[in-house]
């Protein structure tokens, strides 16, 4: 397609019309140029293609499809290959259903456990979100289907999501919220990006040039289409000028007319519009030129795959006395409605019309395994139902072990609103406590999209976190509980003991349409670990039916210059009797002597498969970003000089080995020395000594007759300490009279020259 030629022969009206959707799911065709319309669909963990009545909140029917585990679960797999496989399956489904682009993945950071859409998001850590979403994107796009990484940017809550302003500082945006997108955009090159509803520091994401153009396109090299979230356009012309290409779902021509008027008035340049049109044409062409004819997809195969993915994703949080795996010969009481009708996906635009659902009880039945069952609670109610609990207690009493299927009901957790607390429904907590009263061997299997409080965690023997595990969650549950599969999921988020422990607690969801990200970069484990706070389950935690041992941590160098690569390797051995998969995690602990930094940050992870007795060497390549923070003075990444800890382990709280590397900084930060520069800012460096000495002597009245003797009230050492935070100008008022402003200015000039010297 010769885009430039086509654009040159398009009318202004045709160009403007291409910049918004025809309806909820289609772009507009341009008949004169034979440009076809293309279809997009949600996303992200299955296909929500609506052939007839359309909406963005999942109210109207969509085609029967396969619901894969949601991102909360797949992130816990920590497995790039698995996400890639899932992407390929989704891509093939889109090919067969004539969907050009699937609206996902969603990579917003889990800032608070309460965010209603956490189930669609990957992690509290940007690297996990970027790497795993990137693998998914690559899988989908390998089938020549587009993705739309979303919701760009700082959309971390549902409360007032269309109007609130996320007030976030530059460093926090770079290190946490942008970073989740950056890695995926740079490495996986999504065809499109979806901008979010909210404002960022006052300005709507949909008209924020800093993010949509300066960072996304100019810095990261994104060359695709930016589309709006459904209804995120505030002022269309401003948006277009900022880099927002496509308005979805369209506005019945209202905003197209604004574009036309702005071009006619000269307030929007034709060049800007043409650039947008070119990007949209390229996207349409990318899909249509390689569209497969007669593509088919196999629902049953994808159902199987959904079960496999969930098996690799579920997290075994607790396994006391080896209560798991379950013994087939034991009498097992299965309790809880979710064993028969699991909660396996969340509400809203990602809601899939599953063609089939396999529950735990279905899976057991499929294996000819008869199990006693009781409902235990009413999913639609919060209140305790005594009759249901009594029935559950009765079967638990007569069994060797009770497995309780619990979790959050649909109404607790959905797109469109946030959770109001972090607890399970009252009736489920009461059920667990009462079963514990008659049965010492209790296992809880959880179905939820984000962290929950577990007041009974110390008392039960086993806890499985299934997250929202997709339509074949039951098969995964059966295989994991009975040891046919070895659990290998790890928490991509910290489970705090209680909601008020979370760093965003005092600033979520904000007020007056404003939410202050006051915790800064201290999100999730970056906060809990730095604060040495007690947590229920740490980031990266997850047990296995086997045991792994780490040894032989090696660094390629012990001293490097910022920018030099560092290779780290470690051996991991499966010392148990069952094959399994370990998620090896690498954290970097930056020196703690300058700008506040988290005690450590995840900079590498790898999932390795190990047979019983097998050892593998895991290798990580670290570049300068692994050590850098975003410096707001130079508006760039900066590696400070010092000793950095290289930690490897199996959770953020289970570091097995640590070695240090010394890094020499490669960049000199700018410094302007003024009368208000403190002595302490210069004292550490001997190169200033000659100029500083007379200033200090004058300030402390040294070498003068009236020099005071050290008194009891203030020792020499104390005076030196106080000097640190004393600005140079104080030498004039508190010194011995040697300095006036002119003389001080000469000294400052000298100091500045010394600093500026290479
Ligand atoms: C959601 C998006 C979704 C879109 C289309 C919006 O409400 O925020 O994630 O892709 O609707 O359904």
């Amino acid at each position: 397609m010769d885009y430039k030629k086509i654009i040159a022969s398009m009318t202004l009206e045709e160009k403007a019309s291409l910049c918004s959707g025809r309806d909820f799911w289609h772009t507009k065709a341009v008949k004169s140029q034979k440009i076809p319309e293309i279809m997009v669909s949600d996303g992200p963990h299955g296909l929500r293609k609506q052939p007839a009545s359309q909406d963005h909140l999942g109210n109207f029917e969509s085609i029967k499809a396969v619901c894969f585990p949601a991102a909360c679960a797949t992130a816990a797999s920590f497995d790039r290959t698995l996400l890639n496989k899932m992407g390929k399956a989704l891509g093939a489904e889109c090919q067969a259903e004539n969907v050009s682009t699937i609206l996902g993945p969603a990579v917003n950071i889990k800032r608070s456990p309460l965010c209603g859409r956490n189930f669609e998001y990957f992690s509290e850590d940007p690297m996990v979100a970027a790497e795993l979403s990137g693998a998914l994107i690559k899988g989908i796009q390998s089938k020549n289907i587009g993705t739309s990484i979303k919701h760009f940017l700082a959309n971390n809550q549902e409360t007032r999501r269309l109007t609130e302003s996320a007030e976030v500082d530059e460093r926090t945006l770079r290190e946490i919220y942008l970073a989740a997108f950056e890695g995926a955009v740079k490495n996986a090159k999504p065809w499109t990006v979806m901008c979010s509803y909210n404002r960022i520091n006052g300005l709507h994401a949909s008209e924020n040039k800093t993010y949509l153009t300066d960072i996304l396109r100019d810095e990261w090299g994104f060359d695709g289409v930016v589309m709006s979230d459904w209804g995120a356009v505030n002022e269309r012309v401003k948006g277009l000028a900022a880099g927002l290409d496509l308005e979805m779902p369209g506005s019945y021509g209202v905003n197209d007319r604004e574009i036309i008027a702005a071009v006619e008035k000269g307030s929007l340049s034709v060049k800007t519009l043409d650039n947008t049109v070119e990007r949209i044409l390229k996207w349409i062409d990318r899909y249509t030129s390689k569209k497969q004819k007669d593509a088919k997809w196999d629902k049953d195969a994808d159902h199987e795959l959904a079960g496999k993915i969930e098996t690799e994703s579920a997290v075994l949080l607790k396994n006391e006395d080896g209560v798991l795996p379950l013994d087939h010969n034991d009498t097992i009481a299965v309790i809880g409605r979710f064993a028969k009708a699991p909660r396996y996906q969340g509400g809203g635009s990602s809601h899939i019309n599953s063609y089939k659902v396999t529950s735990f009880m279905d899976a057991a039945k499929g294996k000819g395994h008869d199990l006693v069952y009781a409902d235990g609670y009413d999913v639609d109610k919060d209140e305790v139902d005594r009759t249901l609990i009594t029935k559950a207690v009765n079967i638990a009493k007569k069994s060797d072990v009770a497995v309780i299927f619990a979790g959050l009901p649909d109404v607790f957790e959905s797109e469109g609103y946030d959770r109001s607390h972090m607890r399970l429904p009252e009736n489920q907590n009461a059920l667990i406590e009462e079963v514990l009263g008659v049965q010492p061997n209790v296992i809880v299997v959880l179905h939820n999209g984000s962290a929950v409080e577990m007041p009974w965690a110390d008392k039960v023997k086993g806890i499985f976190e299934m997250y929202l595990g997709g339509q074949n969650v039951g098969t995964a549950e059966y295989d994991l509980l009975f040891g046919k599969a070895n659990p290998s999921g790890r928490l991509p988020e910290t489970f705090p003991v209680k909601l008020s422990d979370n760093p965003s607690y005092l600033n979520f969801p904000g007020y007056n349409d404003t939410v202050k990200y006051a915790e800064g970069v201290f999100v999730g484990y970056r906060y809990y670990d730095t604060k040495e706070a007690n947590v229920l389950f740490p980031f990266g935690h997850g047990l296995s039916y086997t045991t792994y041992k780490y040894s032989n941590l090696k660094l390629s160098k012990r001293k490097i210059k910022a920018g030099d690569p560092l290779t780290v390797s470690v051996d991991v051995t499966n010392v148990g009797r069952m094959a399994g998969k370990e998620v090896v995690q690498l954290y970097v602990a930056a020196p703690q002597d300058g700008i506040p930094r988290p005690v450590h940050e995840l900079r590498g992870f790898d999932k390795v498969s190990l047979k019983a007795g097998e050892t593998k060497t895991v290798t990580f390549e670290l570049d300068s970003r692994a050590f850098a923070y975003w410096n707001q003075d130079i508006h760039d990444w900066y590696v400070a000089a010092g000793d950095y800890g290289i930690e490897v382990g199996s959770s953020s709280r289970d570091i097995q080995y640590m070695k240090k590397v010394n890094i020499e900084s490669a960049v000199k930060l700018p410094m302007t020395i003024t009368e208000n520069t403190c002595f302490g800012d210069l004292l550490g460096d001997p190169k200033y000594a000659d100029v500083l000495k007379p200033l200090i002597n004058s300030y402390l009245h040294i070498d003068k007759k009236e020099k005071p003797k050290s008194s009891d009230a203030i020792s020499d050492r104390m005076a030196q300490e106080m000097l640190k935070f004393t600005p140079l100008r104080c030498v004039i008022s508190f010194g011995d009279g040697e300095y006036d402003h002119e003389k001080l200015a000469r000294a400052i000039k000298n100091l500045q020259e010394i600093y500026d010297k290479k």
Side-chain angles (χ1 to χ4, degrees), residues 48-345:
R48 188 174 72 96
K49 180 184 170 187
Q50 287 184 318
S53 303
Q54 305 177 345
D55 73 317
H56 66 303
L57 287 178
N59 293 324
F60 292 117
E61 278 274 289
S62 50
I63 59 161
K64 291 275 182 205
V66 171
C67 180
F68 288 92
C72 54
T74 57
S77 76
F78 278 80
D79 188 337
R80 298 169 181 89
T81 316
L82 195 71
L83 268 291
N84 190 268
K85 227 185 233 171
M86 173 167 153
K88 284 187 172 140
L90 284 170
E93 293 184 11
C94 289
Q95 272 289 355
E97 295 293 342
N98 299 320
V99 170
S100 76
T101 299
I102 187 159
L103 303 175
V107 301
N108 299 90
I109 293 290
K110 299 190 186 199
R111 176 175 174 249
S112 162
L114 297 186
C115 172
R117 272 184 111 167
N118 273 359
F119 70 89
E120 274 185 78
Y121 301 154
F122 287 83
S123 181
E124 68 188 21
D125 181 86
M127 182 185 195
V128 175
E131 291 278 314
L132 297 179
S133 66
L136 185 80
I137 291 170
K138 281 187 183 164
I140 295 171
Q141 295 192 170
S142 72
K143 299 288 176 188
N144 198 51
I145 294 297
T147 54
S148 194
I149 191 168
K150 65 188 185 184
H151 311 85
F152 190 62
L153 171 75
N155 177 188
N156 308 95
Q157 64 186 54
E158 292 299 282
T159 306
R160 307 187 70 84
R161 69 172 166 161
L162 280 100
T163 52
E164 57 97 0
S165 175
E167 305 285 315
V168 204
D169 66 69
E170 181 187 333
R171 176 181 170 208
T172 303
L173 279 168
R174 287 289 185 163
E175 292 184 27
I176 308 290
Y177 298 97
L178 282 162
F181 289 89
E182 180 184 1
V185 167
K186 284 182 172 169
N187 299 329
K189 306 204 177 310
W191 289 10
T192 79
V193 168
M194 187 191 293
C195 82
S196 57
Y197 287 123
N198 54 291
R199 290 177 293 142
I200 306 146
N201 296 321
L203 190 58
H204 277 92
S206 61
E207 49 203 57
N208 215 316
K209 180 169 170 290
T210 309
Y211 306 111
L212 300 187
T213 297
D214 303 348
I215 294 180
L216 183 64
R217 296 188 201 282
D218 298 348
E219 260 188 51
W220 299 349
F222 174 68
D223 61 358
V225 165
V226 176
M227 67 175 82
S228 71
D229 197 347
W230 270 229
V233 167
N234 176 52
E235 287 191 43
R236 182 63 183 111
V237 177
K238 266 196 195 163
L240 200 105
L244 173 67
D245 300 315
L246 180 69
E247 174 185 18
M248 287 305 283
S251 50
Y252 300 97
V254 172
N255 285 334
D256 298 354
R257 286 195 287 279
E258 293 209 353
I259 295 174
I260 295 167
V263 173
E264 283 170 346
K265 255 194 336 213
S267 56
L268 180 75
S269 76
V270 181
K271 176 101 182 67
T272 304
L273 179 59
D274 285 357
N275 286 344
T276 278
V277 171
E278 183 169 339
R279 289 192 286 260
I280 295 174
L281 288 176
K282 273 188 188 157
W283 168 48
I284 295 171
D285 190 31
R286 210 167 181 174
Y287 168 67
T288 45
S289 62
K290 290 202 202 133
K291 198 181 147 7
Q292 279 172 28
K293 290 214 173 67
D294 310 320
K296 299 232 163 8
W297 68 289
D298 182 345
K299 286 198 181 72
D300 292 331
D302 288 358
H303 178 76
E304 282 260 307
L305 177 63
K308 279 211 178 84
I309 293 171
E310 173 61 0
T311 309
E312 304 282 321
S313 304
V315 189
L316 178 58
L317 293 174
K318 181 172 179 183
N319 190 11
E320 202 176 298
D321 304 334
V323 69
L324 287 165
L326 296 171
D327 188 334
H328 270 273
N329 300 318
D330 279 347
T331 327
I332 297 159
V334 178
I335 297 167
R337 192 64 200 146
F338 285 158
K340 273 197 173 160
R343 170 129 189 282
Y344 63 91
Q345 65 172 327

Side-chain angles (χ1 to χ4, degrees), residues 331-333 391-401 438-439:
T331 327
I332 297 159
K391 278 188 189 157
V393 166
N394 282 342
I395 65 163
K397 233 189 260 176
K398 295 185 215 128
S399 305
D400 297 312
V401 53
V438 298
Q439 173 55 258

Side-chain angles (χ1 to χ4, degrees), residues 14 29 72 84 88 169 180 193 196 289 296 317 356 377 385 421 435 440-441 498 563 566 603 605 678 751:
E14 284 172 334
C72 54
N84 190 268
K88 284 187 172 140
D169 66 69
V193 168
S196 57
S289 62
K296 299 232 163 8
L317 293 174
K356 134 179 181 186
Y377 54 85
D385 183 323
H421 60 74
V435 171
N441 298 316
K498 55 189 187 307
L566 182 75
R603 297 301 193 210
F605 64 86
C678 289
L751 289 167

